[in-house]
Amino acid sequence: MTGLAAAGAVVEGYASLFGRVDMGRDRVAPGAFRRSLARRGVGGVKLLWQHDPGRPIGRWTEISEDGVGLKVRGRLLPEVAQGREALALIRAGALDGLSIGFRTVRARREPATGVRELVEIDLWEISLVTFPQMPGARLALAGSQMPAARCAAGAAGRTGRLSLSTT
C-alpha cells in the first residue's frame, strides 16, 4: 500500500446545497437536516459507494448545516478495496460527485413550478457517486479552492465541492 492509501484520505465538502433545484426537481430548505442529524448523530449517517448499502467505504466524522448547505468531512478506509479504488478515481479526476440518501419527512410542492421543497429530511447516507442528482455536489482535490469559498462566490457559481487531503 502506498503511504497515501495506508494513511487513508480525508474528504470534505458539501453533500447538498440549499436553495438549488436538483435534477429530480427537489430543493432542500435550510434546516431540513437538523432533526435527523440530532437524532442519528454523525455515526448514524453512512459513507457509501454509489448508494450501495453493501459497500461502505469509510465514515463521516463531521456533518453540519451552514449557510451554503450540508457540509461534510469524513475518511475513506484504505482497508476496504472500494475505498482505495475511490481514492484512485478521485485523484484521477474520474469520480467527482456526492449524493444524499434520505427519506422525505415533510415537503411542499410549488404548483406553478412543480418543484418539491424538502422541509425536513431523514438522512440515511451520503455517497460518493459518478452522477449526482445535485449537479453542484462535486469533488475537488486538496489544494484547490476550498468548498465554502467556491460556494460563496455567488449564485451562479454556487457548487458543492469535495476536497481531498491525506491526513
Side-chain angles (χ1 to χ4, degrees):
M1 233 182 276
T2 66
L4 182 61
V10 175
V11 293
E12 61 183 5
Y14 287 91
S16 181
L17 301 174
F18 296 141
R20 300 273 313 266
V21 177
D22 69 16
M23 294 188 324
R25 307 286 299 148
D26 285 340
R27 180 178 55 230
V28 178
F33 299 99
R34 188 175 303 124
R35 284 186 177 174
S36 182
L37 293 175
R39 186 175 57 257
R40 287 184 185 278
V42 69
V45 178
K46 303 306 179 191
L47 171 49
L48 301 180
W49 174 253
Q50 306 282 356
H51 294 295
D52 184 344
R55 296 175 85 182
I57 58 171
R59 73 181 288 273
W60 296 113
T61 57
E62 299 173 33
I63 303 174
S64 62
E65 289 188 340
D66 66 12
V68 174
L70 187 66
K71 189 173 184 176
V72 297
R73 181 178 176 88
R75 180 176 296 279
L76 297 177
L77 295 176
E79 300 85 359
V80 176
Q82 190 63 63
R84 290 190 305 274
E85 290 175 24
L87 176 57
L89 291 167
I90 292 166
R91 290 174 63 199
L95 179 70
D96 63 356
L98 281 177
S99 183
I100 58 174
F102 64 95
R103 178 181 65 86
T104 303
V105 176
R106 210 163 30 103
R108 58 181 162 248
R109 188 157 314 268
E110 296 175 359
T113 63
V115 170
R116 182 174 69 150
E117 183 176 32
L118 302 171
V119 177
E120 185 178 347
I121 289 173
D122 184 14
L123 183 65
W124 297 338
E125 56 92 5
I126 302 167
S127 287
L128 300 186
V129 298
T130 308
F131 301 107
Q133 187 83 328
M134 170 70 66
R138 296 284 175 180
L139 303 169
L141 294 175
S144 62
Q145 186 180 10
M146 290 305 297
R150 186 176 6 267
C151 290
R158 280 177 56 181
T159 61
R161 294 299 241 190
L162 185 73
S163 65
L164 171 70
S165 68
T166 56
T167 57

